[in-house]
């Protein structure tokens, strides 16, 4: 990896730096309850994370309506989407970070990257209004020169656009900007953008083994990233 002569690093948030499944579960199920929709299982929510809050809500709504014997067709899902989104946003901002924890090794890994002089950007599909308070609360914000959310650009990962725009902001070339993520979304976006990608093994990958997704490396801790880049 050292041979790439990296100029910068982009890092995903949910499932890569912070274990946020608890926040998702509490906020979404409170929103569903407000609309008299049965609460969703943690397993369903975890499988549905990664493509943005809109995708999460629509996927869970369709599943929960079907489970309740209500045809979860697109019209019914869309009829409920805005009311659920409004309540979800309310509840998420209310509990943001309360049911989440920074993964072991993340703070140490970020300190190593900072010591190497690499500019860092957080690039997540999470709305920016959720992302910035969470990063501040968990002590992550000081490490990052740039922070972009799922609503920062016209499209989200796995589209390559957010990565390319982030490279522009970092003034780095895609081929020399590493993407660190936890899912096939991150890998697909990186490949399309021409960025090398490293994947963490402990995150959320739609219920699929992350080692089945091609990457430069699969790491069990972000503390291994510094060694990989210097090796």
């Amino acid at each position: 990896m050292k041979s790439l002569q990296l100029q910068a690093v982009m890092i995903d948030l949910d499932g890569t730096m912070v274990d946020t499944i608890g926040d998702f579960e509490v906020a979404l199920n409170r929103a569903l309850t407000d609309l008299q929709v049965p609460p969703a299982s943690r397993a369903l929510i975890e499988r549905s994370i990664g493509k943005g809050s809109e995708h999460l809500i629509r996927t869970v709504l369709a599943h929960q309506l079907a489970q309740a014997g209500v045809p979860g067709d697109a019209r019914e899902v869309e009829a409920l989407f805005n009311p659920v989104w409004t309540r979800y946003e309310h509840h998420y901002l209310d509990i943001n970070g309360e049911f989440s924890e920074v993964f072991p090794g993340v703070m140490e890994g970020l300190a190593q990257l900072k010591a190497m002089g690499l500019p860092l950007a957080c690039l997540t599909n999470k709305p920016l209004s959720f992302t910035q308070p969470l990063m501040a609360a968990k002590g992550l914000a000081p490490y990052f020169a740039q922070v972009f959310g799922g609503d920062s650009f016209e499209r989200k990962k796995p589209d390559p656009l957010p990565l390319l725009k982030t490279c522009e902001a970092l003034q780095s070339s895609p081929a020399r900007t590493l993407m660190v993520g936890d899912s096939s979304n991150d890998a697909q976006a990186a490949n399309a953008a021409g960025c090398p990608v490293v994947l963490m093994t402990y995150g959320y990958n739609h219920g699929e083994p992350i080692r089945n997704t091609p990457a430069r490396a699969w790491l069990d801790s972000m503390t291994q990233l510094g060694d990989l880049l210097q090796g």
Side-chain angles (χ1 to χ4, degrees), residues 47-97:
R47 289 197 306 271
S48 307
I49 291 171
K51 294 185 179 179
S53 296
E54 297 86 352
H55 177 268
L56 168 65
I57 291 172
R58 287 188 171 97
T59 301
V60 169
L61 267 177
H63 183 274
Q64 295 309 101
L65 290 174
Q67 290 292 102
V70 178
D73 61 25
R75 287 173 299 178
E76 187 68 25
V77 169
E78 287 307 308
L80 281 169
F81 174 80
N82 283 333
V84 171
W85 166 256
T86 298
R87 298 309 298 158
Y88 174 70
E89 184 177 34
H90 166 79
H91 289 303
Y92 206 108
L93 290 171
D94 187 50
I95 58 93
N96 194 358

Side-chain angles (χ1 to χ4, degrees), residues 129-160:
S129 61
F130 295 178
T131 297
Q132 290 173 321
L134 178 64
M135 292 183 66
K138 299 302 182 184
L140 300 169
Y143 291 98
F144 290 89
Q146 303 284 347
V147 177
F148 298 112
D151 48 1
S152 295
F153 307 111
E154 294 86 351
R155 296 186 293 278
K156 300 177 177 66
K157 298 178 292 182
D159 193 283

Side-chain angles (χ1 to χ4, degrees), residues 15-75:
T16 301
M17 290 193 289
V18 185
D19 185 0
T20 47
I21 187 65
D23 285 351
F24 283 112
E25 183 179 26
V26 171
L28 183 52
N29 279 335
R30 287 181 182 178
L32 294 175
T33 299
D34 289 346
L35 275 298
Q36 288 78 54
V37 177
S41 69
R42 175 173 285 220
L44 172 62
I45 293 171
E46 184 170 341
R47 289 197 306 271
S48 307
I49 291 171
K51 294 185 179 179
S53 296
E54 297 86 352
H55 177 268
L56 168 65
I57 291 172
R58 287 188 171 97
T59 301
V60 169
L61 267 177
H63 183 274
Q64 295 309 101
L65 290 174
Q67 290 292 102
V70 178
D73 61 25
R75 287 173 299 178

